[in-house]
């Protein structure tokens, strides 16, 4: 799993790659939480373009980051999830909390 965070004008994009599962969700959570708390972005986009697999740990990851950034006065967006990951998100109801954008790959 790789995370690369780019920020500009108070907004940020976290480019994620690899798999999100119970083995690495904690590492991703720690890195994103540290960034959210220190940078306090108005909007953080999680770019899922290069996520090849996600289990329920990914839903928990998104929900937790949504809660934290909301408490800090910001918002969370999920960008470019693959079609099957988007379906998992939709079934979980996460789209009621987080805006999901991008191509349906």
């Amino acid at each position: 799993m790789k995370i690369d965070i780019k920020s500009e004008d108070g907004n940020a994009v976290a480019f994620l790659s690899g798999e999100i599962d119970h083995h690495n969700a904690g590492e991703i959570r720690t890195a994103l939480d540290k960034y959210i708390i220190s940078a306090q972005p108005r909007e953080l986009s999680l770019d899922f373009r290069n996520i090849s697999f996600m289990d329920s740990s990914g839903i928990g990851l998104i929900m937790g980051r949504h809660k934290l950034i909301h408490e800090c006065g910001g918002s969370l967006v999920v960008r470019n999830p693959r079609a099957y990951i988007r379906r998992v998100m939709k079934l979980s109801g996460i789209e009621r909390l987080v805006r999901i954008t991008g191509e349906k790959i």
Side-chain angles (χ1 to χ4, degrees), residues 38-73:
S38 66
Q40 302 269 320
R42 285 188 307 265
E43 181 177 280
L44 174 62
S45 296
L46 303 180
D47 193 304
F48 272 57
R49 180 181 319 271
N50 293 315
I51 295 296
S52 57
F53 173 80
M54 182 183 85
D55 66 11
S56 60
S57 301
I59 297 299
L61 176 81
I62 294 167
M63 289 177 69
R65 286 351 80 212
H66 162 73
K67 182 179 182 210
L68 178 60
I69 199 165
H70 184 66
E71 289 171 356
C72 294

mmCIF file of all heavy atoms in Angstrom, residues 38-73:
data_model
loop_
_atom_site.group_PDB
_atom_site.id
_atom_site.type_symbol
_atom_site.label_atom_id
_atom_site.label_comp_id
_atom_site.label_asym_id
_atom_site.label_seq_id
_atom_site.Cartn_x
_atom_site.Cartn_y
_atom_site.Cartn_z
ATOM 1 N N SER A 38 -2.922 17.517 11.452
ATOM 2 C CA SER A 38 -1.871 18.535 11.314
ATOM 3 C C SER A 38 -2.194 19.586 10.255
ATOM 4 O O SER A 38 -1.955 20.768 10.464
ATOM 5 C CB SER A 38 -0.520 17.884 11.019
ATOM 6 O OG SER A 38 -0.524 17.265 9.758
ATOM 7 N N ALA A 39 -2.762 19.185 9.125
ATOM 8 C CA ALA A 39 -2.990 20.125 8.017
ATOM 9 C C ALA A 39 -4.366 20.777 8.044
ATOM 10 O O ALA A 39 -4.550 21.841 7.455
ATOM 11 C CB ALA A 39 -2.781 19.419 6.677
ATOM 12 N N GLN A 40 -5.353 20.118 8.657
ATOM 13 C CA GLN A 40 -6.723 20.631 8.730
ATOM 14 C C GLN A 40 -7.251 21.077 7.351
ATOM 15 O O GLN A 40 -7.687 22.216 7.180
ATOM 16 C CB GLN A 40 -6.795 21.818 9.700
ATOM 17 C CG GLN A 40 -6.343 21.510 11.102
ATOM 18 C CD GLN A 40 -7.450 21.046 12.003
ATOM 19 O OE1 GLN A 40 -8.546 21.557 11.942
ATOM 20 N NE2 GLN A 40 -7.160 20.075 12.833
ATOM 21 N N PRO A 41 -7.227 20.186 6.345
ATOM 22 C CA PRO A 41 -7.693 20.583 5.008
ATOM 23 C C PRO A 41 -9.195 20.857 4.999
ATOM 24 O O PRO A 41 -9.947 20.253 5.767
ATOM 25 C CB PRO A 41 -7.360 19.370 4.138
ATOM 26 C CG PRO A 41 -7.402 18.219 5.083
ATOM 27 C CD PRO A 41 -6.884 18.763 6.387
ATOM 28 N N ARG A 42 -9.613 21.793 4.142
ATOM 29 C CA ARG A 42 -11.052 22.054 3.962
ATOM 30 C C ARG A 42 -11.719 20.854 3.312
ATOM 31 O O ARG A 42 -12.853 20.521 3.614
ATOM 32 C CB ARG A 42 -11.272 23.285 3.079
ATOM 33 C CG ARG A 42 -11.011 24.603 3.756
ATOM 34 C CD ARG A 42 -11.437 25.767 2.870
ATOM 35 N NE ARG A 42 -10.862 25.705 1.549
ATOM 36 C CZ ARG A 42 -9.751 26.335 1.167
ATOM 37 N NH1 ARG A 42 -9.087 27.070 2.011
ATOM 38 N NH2 ARG A 42 -9.312 26.217 -0.059
ATOM 39 N N GLU A 43 -11.001 20.242 2.367
ATOM 40 C CA GLU A 43 -11.512 19.056 1.687
ATOM 41 C C GLU A 43 -10.354 18.099 1.454
ATOM 42 O O GLU A 43 -9.295 18.505 1.001
ATOM 43 C CB GLU A 43 -12.149 19.428 0.351
ATOM 44 C CG GLU A 43 -12.722 18.229 -0.388
ATOM 45 C CD GLU A 43 -13.410 18.621 -1.677
ATOM 46 O OE1 GLU A 43 -14.557 19.072 -1.610
ATOM 47 O OE2 GLU A 43 -12.767 18.490 -2.740
ATOM 48 N N LEU A 44 -10.594 16.835 1.768
ATOM 49 C CA LEU A 44 -9.622 15.786 1.488
ATOM 50 C C LEU A 44 -10.276 14.790 0.549
ATOM 51 O O LEU A 44 -11.335 14.248 0.858
ATOM 52 C CB LEU A 44 -9.184 15.073 2.771
ATOM 53 C CG LEU A 44 -8.276 13.853 2.589
ATOM 54 C CD1 LEU A 44 -6.944 14.254 1.929
ATOM 55 C CD2 LEU A 44 -8.026 13.167 3.919
ATOM 56 N N SER A 45 -9.659 14.589 -0.593
ATOM 57 C CA SER A 45 -10.139 13.595 -1.554
ATOM 58 C C SER A 45 -9.260 12.364 -1.450
ATOM 59 O O SER A 45 -8.032 12.466 -1.444
ATOM 60 C CB SER A 45 -10.067 14.134 -2.981
ATOM 61 O OG SER A 45 -10.919 15.243 -3.143
ATOM 62 N N LEU A 46 -9.901 11.215 -1.341
ATOM 63 C CA LEU A 46 -9.182 9.939 -1.381
ATOM 64 C C LEU A 46 -9.308 9.406 -2.803
ATOM 65 O O LEU A 46 -10.402 9.061 -3.232
ATOM 66 C CB LEU A 46 -9.793 8.943 -0.389
ATOM 67 C CG LEU A 46 -9.854 9.383 1.068
ATOM 68 C CD1 LEU A 46 -10.491 8.291 1.917
ATOM 69 C CD2 LEU A 46 -8.473 9.741 1.594
ATOM 70 N N ASP A 47 -8.215 9.383 -3.530
ATOM 71 C CA ASP A 47 -8.248 8.926 -4.914
ATOM 72 C C ASP A 47 -8.034 7.415 -4.939
ATOM 73 O O ASP A 47 -6.968 6.917 -4.613
ATOM 74 C CB ASP A 47 -7.189 9.632 -5.748
ATOM 75 C CG ASP A 47 -7.408 9.425 -7.229
ATOM 76 O OD1 ASP A 47 -7.474 8.247 -7.653
ATOM 77 O OD2 ASP A 47 -7.524 10.422 -7.960
ATOM 78 N N PHE A 48 -9.093 6.695 -5.339
ATOM 79 C CA PHE A 48 -9.097 5.235 -5.355
ATOM 80 C C PHE A 48 -8.738 4.654 -6.726
ATOM 81 O O PHE A 48 -8.869 3.460 -6.936
ATOM 82 C CB PHE A 48 -10.491 4.721 -4.957
ATOM 83 C CG PHE A 48 -10.681 4.534 -3.487
ATOM 84 C CD1 PHE A 48 -10.487 5.582 -2.605
ATOM 85 C CD2 PHE A 48 -11.069 3.308 -2.976
ATOM 86 C CE1 PHE A 48 -10.673 5.412 -1.245
ATOM 87 C CE2 PHE A 48 -11.256 3.119 -1.625
ATOM 88 C CZ PHE A 48 -11.055 4.170 -0.747
ATOM 89 N N ARG A 49 -8.285 5.479 -7.660
ATOM 90 C CA ARG A 49 -8.000 5.019 -9.021
ATOM 91 C C ARG A 49 -7.113 3.772 -9.037
ATOM 92 O O ARG A 49 -7.302 2.867 -9.840
ATOM 93 C CB ARG A 49 -7.336 6.141 -9.815
ATOM 94 C CG ARG A 49 -6.992 5.779 -11.233
ATOM 95 C CD ARG A 49 -6.313 6.912 -11.979
ATOM 96 N NE ARG A 49 -6.883 8.210 -11.702
ATOM 97 C CZ ARG A 49 -7.894 8.763 -12.381
ATOM 98 N NH1 ARG A 49 -8.440 8.114 -13.379
ATOM 99 N NH2 ARG A 49 -8.351 9.954 -12.056
ATOM 100 N N ASN A 50 -6.128 3.716 -8.138
ATOM 101 C CA ASN A 50 -5.168 2.615 -8.136
ATOM 102 C C ASN A 50 -5.392 1.614 -7.002
ATOM 103 O O ASN A 50 -4.470 0.885 -6.637
ATOM 104 C CB ASN A 50 -3.737 3.171 -8.092
ATOM 105 C CG ASN A 50 -3.403 3.914 -9.365
ATOM 106 O OD1 ASN A 50 -3.683 3.437 -10.457
ATOM 107 N ND2 ASN A 50 -2.820 5.091 -9.222
ATOM 108 N N ILE A 51 -6.616 1.581 -6.469
ATOM 109 C CA ILE A 51 -6.967 0.567 -5.475
ATOM 110 C C ILE A 51 -7.505 -0.647 -6.223
ATOM 111 O O ILE A 51 -8.500 -0.560 -6.937
ATOM 112 C CB ILE A 51 -8.005 1.094 -4.465
ATOM 113 C CG1 ILE A 51 -7.417 2.231 -3.631
ATOM 114 C CG2 ILE A 51 -8.529 -0.029 -3.576
ATOM 115 C CD1 ILE A 51 -6.251 1.820 -2.751
ATOM 116 N N SER A 52 -6.835 -1.764 -6.055
ATOM 117 C CA SER A 52 -7.220 -2.968 -6.794
ATOM 118 C C SER A 52 -8.168 -3.871 -6.010
ATOM 119 O O SER A 52 -8.859 -4.704 -6.591
ATOM 120 C CB SER A 52 -5.973 -3.761 -7.179
ATOM 121 O OG SER A 52 -5.221 -4.084 -6.019
ATOM 122 N N PHE A 53 -8.233 -3.688 -4.684
ATOM 123 C CA PHE A 53 -9.108 -4.519 -3.850
ATOM 124 C C PHE A 53 -9.443 -3.747 -2.589
ATOM 125 O O PHE A 53 -8.604 -3.020 -2.051
ATOM 126 C CB PHE A 53 -8.401 -5.820 -3.455
ATOM 127 C CG PHE A 53 -9.180 -6.642 -2.461
ATOM 128 C CD1 PHE A 53 -10.217 -7.446 -2.879
ATOM 129 C CD2 PHE A 53 -8.872 -6.583 -1.102
ATOM 130 C CE1 PHE A 53 -10.949 -8.197 -1.954
ATOM 131 C CE2 PHE A 53 -9.590 -7.331 -0.184
ATOM 132 C CZ PHE A 53 -10.631 -8.133 -0.613
ATOM 133 N N MET A 54 -10.687 -3.907 -2.121
ATOM 134 C CA MET A 54 -11.093 -3.307 -0.855
ATOM 135 C C MET A 54 -12.117 -4.217 -0.196
ATOM 136 O O MET A 54 -13.078 -4.633 -0.837
ATOM 137 C CB MET A 54 -11.703 -1.928 -1.084
ATOM 138 C CG MET A 54 -12.094 -1.224 0.210
ATOM 139 S SD MET A 54 -12.901 0.354 -0.058
ATOM 140 C CE MET A 54 -14.589 -0.188 -0.281
ATOM 141 N N ASP A 55 -11.902 -4.517 1.087
ATOM 142 C CA ASP A 55 -12.907 -5.261 1.828
ATOM 143 C C ASP A 55 -13.611 -4.304 2.795
ATOM 144 O O ASP A 55 -13.472 -3.087 2.680
ATOM 145 C CB ASP A 55 -12.289 -6.488 2.529
ATOM 146 C CG ASP A 55 -11.297 -6.139 3.626
ATOM 147 O OD1 ASP A 55 -11.201 -4.950 4.035
ATOM 148 O OD2 ASP A 55 -10.602 -7.059 4.093
ATOM 149 N N SER A 56 -14.332 -4.836 3.756
ATOM 150 C CA SER A 56 -15.101 -3.985 4.668
ATOM 151 C C SER A 56 -14.213 -3.055 5.496
ATOM 152 O O SER A 56 -14.670 -2.025 5.983
ATOM 153 C CB SER A 56 -15.962 -4.840 5.594
ATOM 154 O OG SER A 56 -15.143 -5.698 6.367
ATOM 155 N N SER A 57 -12.933 -3.379 5.610
ATOM 156 C CA SER A 57 -12.004 -2.487 6.316
ATOM 157 C C SER A 57 -11.931 -1.132 5.625
ATOM 158 O O SER A 57 -11.731 -0.109 6.272
ATOM 159 C CB SER A 57 -10.606 -3.096 6.363
ATOM 160 O OG SER A 57 -10.619 -4.326 7.015
ATOM 161 N N GLY A 58 -12.095 -1.129 4.312
ATOM 162 C CA GLY A 58 -12.080 0.122 3.557
ATOM 163 C C GLY A 58 -13.275 0.998 3.887
ATOM 164 O O GLY A 58 -13.154 2.224 3.968
ATOM 165 N N ILE A 59 -14.436 0.376 4.103
ATOM 166 C CA ILE A 59 -15.622 1.141 4.485
ATOM 167 C C ILE A 59 -15.390 1.781 5.851
ATOM 168 O O ILE A 59 -15.675 2.963 6.053
ATOM 169 C CB ILE A 59 -16.884 0.242 4.502
ATOM 170 C CG1 ILE A 59 -17.167 -0.310 3.099
ATOM 171 C CG2 ILE A 59 -18.085 0.987 5.064
ATOM 172 C CD1 ILE A 59 -17.437 0.728 2.043
ATOM 173 N N GLY A 60 -14.851 1.007 6.784
ATOM 174 C CA GLY A 60 -14.539 1.554 8.101
ATOM 175 C C GLY A 60 -13.518 2.668 8.023
ATOM 176 O O GLY A 60 -13.628 3.678 8.734
ATOM 177 N N LEU A 61 -12.540 2.506 7.152
ATOM 178 C CA LEU A 61 -11.521 3.529 6.957
ATOM 179 C C LEU A 61 -12.159 4.837 6.481
ATOM 180 O O LEU A 61 -11.876 5.915 7.015
ATOM 181 C CB LEU A 61 -10.495 3.036 5.935
ATOM 182 C CG LEU A 61 -9.410 4.032 5.561
ATOM 183 C CD1 LEU A 61 -8.317 4.029 6.609
ATOM 184 C CD2 LEU A 61 -8.833 3.690 4.205
ATOM 185 N N ILE A 62 -13.025 4.751 5.494
ATOM 186 C CA ILE A 62 -13.684 5.942 4.955
ATOM 187 C C ILE A 62 -14.569 6.594 6.017
ATOM 188 O O ILE A 62 -14.538 7.811 6.215
ATOM 189 C CB ILE A 62 -14.506 5.591 3.697
ATOM 190 C CG1 ILE A 62 -13.572 5.150 2.566
ATOM 191 C CG2 ILE A 62 -15.363 6.778 3.252
ATOM 192 C CD1 ILE A 62 -14.283 4.485 1.400
ATOM 193 N N MET A 63 -15.358 5.783 6.718
ATOM 194 C CA MET A 63 -16.267 6.336 7.730
ATOM 195 C C MET A 63 -15.498 7.055 8.838
ATOM 196 O O MET A 63 -15.887 8.151 9.259
ATOM 197 C CB MET A 63 -17.128 5.226 8.320
ATOM 198 C CG MET A 63 -18.160 4.710 7.343
ATOM 199 S SD MET A 63 -19.123 3.336 7.993
ATOM 200 C CE MET A 63 -20.061 4.168 9.245
ATOM 201 N N GLY A 64 -14.414 6.463 9.294
ATOM 202 C CA GLY A 64 -13.622 7.090 10.347
ATOM 203 C C GLY A 64 -12.973 8.387 9.911
ATOM 204 O O GLY A 64 -12.934 9.365 10.666
ATOM 205 N N ARG A 65 -12.460 8.420 8.673
ATOM 206 C CA ARG A 65 -11.830 9.646 8.170
ATOM 207 C C ARG A 65 -12.892 10.725 7.950
ATOM 208 O O ARG A 65 -12.640 11.899 8.176
ATOM 209 C CB ARG A 65 -11.091 9.415 6.858
ATOM 210 C CG ARG A 65 -9.773 8.682 6.848
ATOM 211 C CD ARG A 65 -9.104 8.364 8.130
ATOM 212 N NE ARG A 65 -9.745 7.179 8.692
ATOM 213 C CZ ARG A 65 -9.895 6.906 9.991
ATOM 214 N NH1 ARG A 65 -9.429 7.681 10.902
ATOM 215 N NH2 ARG A 65 -10.495 5.834 10.422
ATOM 216 N N HIS A 66 -14.091 10.323 7.517
ATOM 217 C CA HIS A 66 -15.191 11.279 7.369
ATOM 218 C C HIS A 66 -15.494 11.925 8.727
ATOM 219 O O HIS A 66 -15.615 13.151 8.824
ATOM 220 C CB HIS A 66 -16.450 10.593 6.832
ATOM 221 C CG HIS A 66 -17.688 11.383 7.057
ATOM 222 N ND1 HIS A 66 -17.981 12.537 6.343
ATOM 223 C CD2 HIS A 66 -18.703 11.220 7.948
ATOM 224 C CE1 HIS A 66 -19.127 13.030 6.774
ATOM 225 N NE2 HIS A 66 -19.583 12.253 7.753
ATOM 226 N N LYS A 67 -15.600 11.116 9.749
ATOM 227 C CA LYS A 67 -15.917 11.644 11.083
ATOM 228 C C LYS A 67 -14.830 12.608 11.557
ATOM 229 O O LYS A 67 -15.129 13.704 12.038
ATOM 230 C CB LYS A 67 -16.070 10.493 12.072
ATOM 231 C CG LYS A 67 -16.434 10.957 13.452
ATOM 232 C CD LYS A 67 -16.601 9.798 14.409
ATOM 233 C CE LYS A 67 -17.015 10.354 15.768
ATOM 234 N NZ LYS A 67 -16.585 9.568 16.860
ATOM 235 N N LEU A 68 -13.561 12.220 11.428
ATOM 236 C CA LEU A 68 -12.462 13.058 11.889
ATOM 237 C C LEU A 68 -12.396 14.379 11.134
ATOM 238 O O LEU A 68 -12.303 15.442 11.744
ATOM 239 C CB LEU A 68 -11.132 12.315 11.762
ATOM 240 C CG LEU A 68 -9.887 13.109 12.178
ATOM 241 C CD1 LEU A 68 -9.975 13.537 13.641
ATOM 242 C CD2 LEU A 68 -8.630 12.300 11.912
ATOM 243 N N ILE A 69 -12.461 14.325 9.821
ATOM 244 C CA ILE A 69 -12.334 15.566 9.053
ATOM 245 C C ILE A 69 -13.556 16.462 9.270
ATOM 246 O O ILE A 69 -13.439 17.687 9.309
ATOM 247 C CB ILE A 69 -12.052 15.310 7.549
ATOM 248 C CG1 ILE A 69 -11.475 16.582 6.915
ATOM 249 C CG2 ILE A 69 -13.289 14.837 6.817
ATOM 250 C CD1 ILE A 69 -10.831 16.369 5.579
ATOM 251 N N HIS A 70 -14.714 15.862 9.454
ATOM 252 C CA HIS A 70 -15.924 16.645 9.754
ATOM 253 C C HIS A 70 -15.763 17.375 11.092
ATOM 254 O O HIS A 70 -16.124 18.544 11.214
ATOM 255 C CB HIS A 70 -17.151 15.732 9.761
ATOM 256 C CG HIS A 70 -18.432 16.439 9.954
ATOM 257 N ND1 HIS A 70 -18.950 17.321 9.023
ATOM 258 C CD2 HIS A 70 -19.312 16.409 10.980
ATOM 259 C CE1 HIS A 70 -20.090 17.809 9.475
ATOM 260 N NE2 HIS A 70 -20.332 17.268 10.660
ATOM 261 N N GLU A 71 -15.209 16.702 12.092
ATOM 262 C CA GLU A 71 -14.945 17.323 13.389
ATOM 263 C C GLU A 71 -13.949 18.469 13.273
ATOM 264 O O GLU A 71 -13.970 19.397 14.077
ATOM 265 C CB GLU A 71 -14.425 16.282 14.382
ATOM 266 C CG GLU A 71 -15.478 15.291 14.823
ATOM 267 C CD GLU A 71 -14.911 14.137 15.627
ATOM 268 O OE1 GLU A 71 -13.668 14.037 15.788
ATOM 269 O OE2 GLU A 71 -15.717 13.309 16.093
ATOM 270 N N CYS A 72 -13.081 18.408 12.272
ATOM 271 C CA CYS A 72 -12.081 19.457 12.040
ATOM 272 C C CYS A 72 -12.598 20.543 11.100
ATOM 273 O O CYS A 72 -11.847 21.437 10.708
ATOM 274 C CB CYS A 72 -10.805 18.841 11.464
ATOM 275 S SG CYS A 72 -9.940 17.748 12.605
ATOM 276 N N GLY A 73 -13.867 20.443 10.694
ATOM 277 C CA GLY A 73 -14.473 21.468 9.845
ATOM 278 C C GLY A 73 -14.302 21.248 8.357
ATOM 279 O O GLY A 73 -14.565 22.151 7.569
#
